[in-house]
């Protein structure tokens, strides 16, 4: 018989404490919808009254099909009744069915931060939770700095938990606020809390990743008996982040003993949207997804070594702990100068190119890859460019357009405010069928800032591709990386570009040249060609 394990998401509050992260109200709605569709039990929307965005979000009254909408606040201030506390009033006025209050459980913080006696802090916790329950709200108590408090004075820290529980809290959550407690110690202390009379099915865990152990610490608390986990999508959070639900969810659903012992709100079918959910958040934050992220990273199922790829062809379980499609990810067989024919045939098959095992063209493709890598190319992280090379060798590349020439100018000048600014302008001449087209674009964005010569080139290239222009409406560049492959006056520049489209597809292309703009342009052209192939754009006969 399985037990219910509850998942509580704090992305919209804790995640917003990440340095450089600030959600708009529309972004909060978008993220909340993704979390609800995934199947989270609770979505904490923020702190009503703490800032205008959070207040507006609660006032917009978002509705969820799966999750319980939760407001966050703090226990009442000393010297004020719960009924007259402005902070509690703002939280209750958000009208959410659930409210989570944070309170001190470390005697050091009670004395230093609050400046009150331990007994008064206990009363504040009790009165605050009781006020929520009297207002017919489900109450949760976040025991701030609990593990440090337990190590300082275990009796008092546990008394704080019982004060909340006895006042009617549905959940009491143990918080490793500083993120420094290791998993074994969290397991031991959580067991002690349960032994004190706090039932496991009313106990939660909230960890931070300051030692890189937030996920392991959360699982250690579950092993000890806790039945709620708090965390954030992609591990967002203050300092090093919170427990990463993107890692925890598939672990709980796919790995024993958790998969056979527990039921969570995320189903196997919903789990297939996990990679997409992770990338939606990165997209909102304008961040490059972490390639090495467990389960959802672009490299999570990448097999570079020829020996590995050969085994993968026979049975994927030889080098994969789960099928990538279980979490909405894909298998990648990178091409590099370490590649053998097993890698090559697997990669070609993934691109829809079925080539017989002993086809002599396989050797020609490998030779071309290795020759280009000798010149500075790297196809390990540029699968789309590799596919285009293979198609060229196989004679399977559609003709879309031909670039006849391009030019980029960079101007440095003073603007009307007497400030020195730069401006780039790009001109691209292309031939599509028998028609020649000239496109011009500059690098100035909508806010009046210069986005650079590569941006100007990208805009000019995609500005007027005739019948192909509609195919590029949903395409955008999401990352741009430059590396100098050798030093001195003969340095070669390698540019890697990551692109994404509205279907959630993500692909990488590479360009190499002594000139950074030229290398960038090569990668840009490859990105567009790959997109047109994937969208089955019609071929054109390009005359010279």
């Amino acid at each position: 018989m399985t037990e219910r394990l509850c998942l509580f998401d704090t992305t919209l509050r804790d995640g917003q404490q990440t340095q450089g992260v600030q959600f708009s109200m529309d972004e909060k709605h978008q993220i909340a919808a993704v979390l609800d569709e995934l199947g989270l039990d609770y979505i904490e929307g923020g702190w009503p009254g703490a800032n205008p965005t959070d207040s507006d979000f609660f006032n917009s009254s978002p509705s969820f099909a799966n999750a319980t909408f939760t407001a966050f606040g703090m226990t009442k201030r000393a010297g004020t009744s719960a009924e007259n506390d402005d902070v509690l009033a703002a939280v209750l006025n958000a009208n959410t069915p659930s409210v989570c209050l944070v309170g001190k459980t470390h005697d050091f913080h009670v004395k230093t931060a609050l400046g009150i006696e331990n007994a008064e802090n206990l009363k504040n916790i009790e009165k605050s939770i009781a006020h929520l329950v009297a207002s017919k709200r489900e109450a949760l108590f976040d025991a701030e700095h609990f593990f440090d408090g337990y190590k300082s004075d275990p009796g008092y820290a546990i008394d704080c938990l019982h004060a909340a529980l006895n006042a009617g809290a549905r959940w009491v959550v143990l918080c490793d606020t500083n993120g420094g407690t290791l998993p074994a110690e969290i397991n031991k202390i959580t067991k002690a809390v349960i032994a004190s009379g706090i039932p496991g099915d009313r106990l939660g865990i909230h960890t931070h990743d300051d030692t890189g152990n937030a996920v392991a610490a959360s699982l250690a608390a579950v092993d000890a008996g806790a039945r709620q986990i708090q965390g954030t999508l992609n591990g967002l959070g203050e300092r090093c982040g919170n427990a990463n639900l993107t890692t925890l969810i598939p672990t709980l659903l796919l790995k024993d003993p958790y998969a056979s012992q527990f039921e969570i709100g995320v189903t196997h079918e919903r789990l297939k949207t996990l990679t997409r959910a992770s990338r939606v958040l990165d997209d909102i934050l304008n961040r490059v997804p972490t390639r090495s992220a467990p389960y959802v990273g672009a490299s999570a199922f990448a097999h570079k070594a020829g020996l590995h790829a050969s085994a993968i062809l026979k049975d994927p379980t030889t080098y994969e702990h789960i099928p990538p499609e279980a979490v909405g990810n894909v298998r990648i067989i990178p091409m590099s100068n370490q590649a053998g024919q097993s890698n090559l045939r697997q990669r070609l098959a993934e691109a829809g190119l079925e080539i017989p095992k002993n086809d002599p063209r396989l050797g020609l493709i490998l030779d071309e890859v290795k020759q280009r890598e000798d010149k500075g190319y790297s196809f390990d992280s540029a699968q789309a460019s590799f596919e285009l090379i293979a198609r060229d060798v196989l004679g399977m590349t559609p003709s879309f357009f031909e670039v006849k020439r391009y030019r980029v100018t960079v101007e440095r000048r003073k603007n009307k405010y007497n400030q020195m600014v730069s401006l780039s302008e790009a001109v691209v001449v292309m031939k599509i069928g028998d028609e020649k087209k000239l496109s011009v674009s500059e690098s100035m964005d909508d806010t009046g800032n210069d986005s650079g010569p590569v941006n100007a080139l990208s805009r000019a290239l995609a500005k007027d591709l005739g019948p192909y222009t509609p195919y590029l409406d949903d395409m955008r560049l999401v990352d741009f990386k430059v590396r100098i492959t050798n030093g001195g006056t003969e340095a070669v520049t390698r540019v890697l570009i990551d692109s994404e489209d509205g279907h959630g597809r993500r692909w990488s292309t590479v360009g190499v040249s002594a000139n950074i703009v030229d290398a960038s342009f090569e990668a840009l052209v490859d990105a567009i060609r790959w997109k047109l192939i994937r969208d089955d754009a019609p071929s054109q006969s390009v005359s010279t």
Side-chain angles (χ1 to χ4, degrees):
M1 183 176 178
T2 58
E3 293 183 73
R4 187 65 161 86
L5 191 61
C6 178
L7 298 178
F8 185 108
D9 181 89
T10 72
T11 303
L12 300 180
R13 182 186 65 82
D14 268 344
Q16 194 163 252
Q17 294 174 10
T18 308
Q19 188 174 12
V21 171
Q22 185 66 45
F23 299 127
S24 68
M25 189 177 74
D26 287 343
E27 289 169 343
K28 277 180 169 278
H29 276 286
Q30 189 178 351
I31 295 166
V34 168
L35 295 169
D36 185 47
E37 289 169 7
L38 194 57
L40 276 298
D41 296 291
Y42 291 85
I43 294 175
E44 190 177 71
W47 190 328
N51 59 74
T53 301
D54 279 6
S55 297
D56 290 344
F57 180 60
F58 283 98
N59 288 337
S60 68
S61 302
S63 60
F64 303 123
N66 301 299
T68 299
F69 192 29
T70 306
F72 180 85
M74 61 182 292
T75 54
K76 77 175 190 69
R77 293 165 296 170
T80 304
S81 68
E83 291 76 12
N84 293 315
D85 188 274
D86 292 341
V87 175
L88 275 182
V91 172
L92 285 170
N93 288 340
N95 293 316
T96 57
S98 173
V99 174
C100 181
L101 297 183
V102 62
K104 305 293 185 185
T105 59
H106 186 181
D107 57 349
F108 168 74
H109 282 269
V110 173
K111 178 181 179 180
T112 305
L114 298 181
I116 61 176
E117 297 298 321
N118 287 352
E120 186 173 5
N121 182 58
L122 288 174
K123 290 181 180 178
N124 289 344
I125 294 170
E126 179 186 353
K127 297 295 185 184
S128 300
I129 296 296
H131 183 54
L132 296 183
V133 174
S135 302
K136 301 189 183 306
R137 309 297 170 83
E138 181 184 29
L140 294 90
F141 176 65
D142 267 7
E144 189 181 30
H145 294 285
F146 174 78
F147 292 96
D148 292 328
Y150 183 90
K151 285 179 272 189
S152 171
D153 185 340
Y156 181 71
I158 287 181
D159 284 346
C160 291
L161 303 181
H162 282 279
L165 190 72
N166 293 337
R170 168 63 183 88
W171 291 100
V172 173
V173 184
L174 311 181
C175 300
D176 184 32
T177 309
N178 286 352
T181 311
L182 296 179
E185 197 168 16
I186 281 185
N187 179 274
K188 179 181 177 181
I189 294 173
T190 303
K191 286 180 177 177
V193 169
I194 294 173
S196 78
I198 306 262
D201 61 3
R202 298 181 70 176
L203 190 64
I205 181 69
H206 178 117
T207 61
H208 287 256
D209 207 34
D210 297 74
T211 66
N213 283 288
V215 168
S218 297
L219 294 175
V222 172
D223 292 340
R227 293 298 178 257
Q228 184 192 97
I229 298 177
Q230 295 193 355
T232 60
L233 196 63
N234 290 353
L236 286 185
E238 194 170 30
R239 303 186 310 276
C240 302
N242 287 43
N244 192 340
L245 290 176
T246 318
T247 302
L248 277 163
I249 289 170
T251 298
L252 294 169
L253 201 54
L254 302 175
K255 298 291 182 181
D256 278 332
Y258 310 104
S260 57
Q261 185 179 347
F262 298 107
E263 175 191 348
I264 61 174
V266 182
T267 63
H268 285 274
E269 192 61 32
R270 289 173 179 164
L271 186 65
K272 295 176 183 178
T273 69
L274 184 67
T275 299
R276 180 61 181 155
S278 170
R279 292 177 184 173
V280 164
L281 180 59
D282 283 327
D283 185 41
I284 289 172
L285 297 175
N286 197 26
R287 288 184 166 190
V288 179
T290 304
R291 284 187 169 272
S292 58
Y295 296 104
V296 299
S299 297
F301 301 95
H303 307 279
K304 181 175 179 179
L307 179 64
H308 292 195
S310 178
I312 284 287
L313 283 172
K314 297 171 184 175
D315 188 336
T317 62
T318 52
Y319 285 96
E320 290 177 351
H321 67 112
I322 65 162
E325 57 271 16
V327 291
N329 209 338
V330 294
R331 180 179 301 115
I332 295 176
I333 307 295
M335 289 306 303
S336 73
N337 58 17
Q338 299 183 36
Q341 287 204 6
S342 295
N343 295 55
L344 178 57
R345 292 182 62 244
Q346 174 69 12
R347 185 63 187 92
L348 292 174
E350 290 172 358
L353 305 173
E354 297 289 346
I355 308 298
K357 186 173 183 179
N358 297 317
D359 193 311
R361 294 176 297 175
L362 293 171
L364 295 176
I365 296 172
L366 280 177
D367 288 344
E368 182 67 23
V369 168
K370 292 176 180 180
Q371 287 174 18
R372 293 207 183 196
E373 291 202 334
D374 284 343
K375 296 177 181 178
Y377 287 83
S378 174
F379 298 102
D380 182 10
S381 300
Q383 298 303 301
S385 287
F386 155 73
E387 181 184 327
L388 293 172
I389 288 176
R391 286 180 174 275
D392 288 343
V393 172
L394 296 169
M396 302 175 68
T397 306
S399 296
F400 299 120
F401 58 89
E402 178 189 5
V403 177
K404 304 300 288 185
R405 62 182 175 89
Y406 75 87
R407 181 179 71 248
V408 180
T409 59
V410 180
E411 180 182 4
R412 184 78 169 161
R413 67 187 182 195
K414 284 191 174 182
N415 63 15
K416 63 182 180 180
Y417 303 108
N418 204 34
Q419 299 169 325
M420 290 300 297
V421 296
S422 61
L423 176 67
S424 302
E425 184 180 71
V427 178
V428 179
V429 178
M430 291 168 290
K431 200 166 188 182
I432 303 174
D434 294 325
E435 184 180 2
K436 187 175 287 187
K437 291 182 174 290
L438 182 148
S439 295
V440 181
S441 187
E442 61 179 29
S443 57
M444 198 72 72
D445 63 19
D446 295 337
T447 62
N449 295 314
D450 177 35
S451 298
V454 176
N455 177 268
L457 260 180
S458 174
R459 292 168 68 175
L461 185 60
K463 191 172 186 179
D464 186 8
L465 276 174
Y468 302 120
T469 303
Y471 291 93
L472 307 179
D473 287 345
D474 65 338
M475 175 181 164
R476 67 186 191 92
L477 274 57
V478 293
D479 194 23
F480 177 87
K481 296 182 282 290
V482 178
R483 183 173 180 181
I484 307 301
T485 60
N486 61 299
T489 58
E490 298 181 355
V492 174
T493 302
R494 177 195 301 150
V495 171
L496 284 165
I497 290 177
D498 288 348
S499 303
E500 192 174 56
D501 66 10
H503 300 287
R505 294 179 301 207
R506 192 181 184 93
W507 65 100
S508 301
T509 51
V510 62
V512 169
S513 173
N515 183 298
I516 184 174
V517 175
D518 192 50
S520 303
F521 189 73
E522 181 183 7
L524 286 169
V525 171
D526 270 7
I528 289 175
R529 291 172 63 210
W530 189 91
K531 164 72 168 167
L532 294 176
I533 289 173
R534 277 294 179 273
D535 284 354
D536 294 322
S539 177
Q540 298 277 337
S541 58
V542 181
S543 61
T544 58

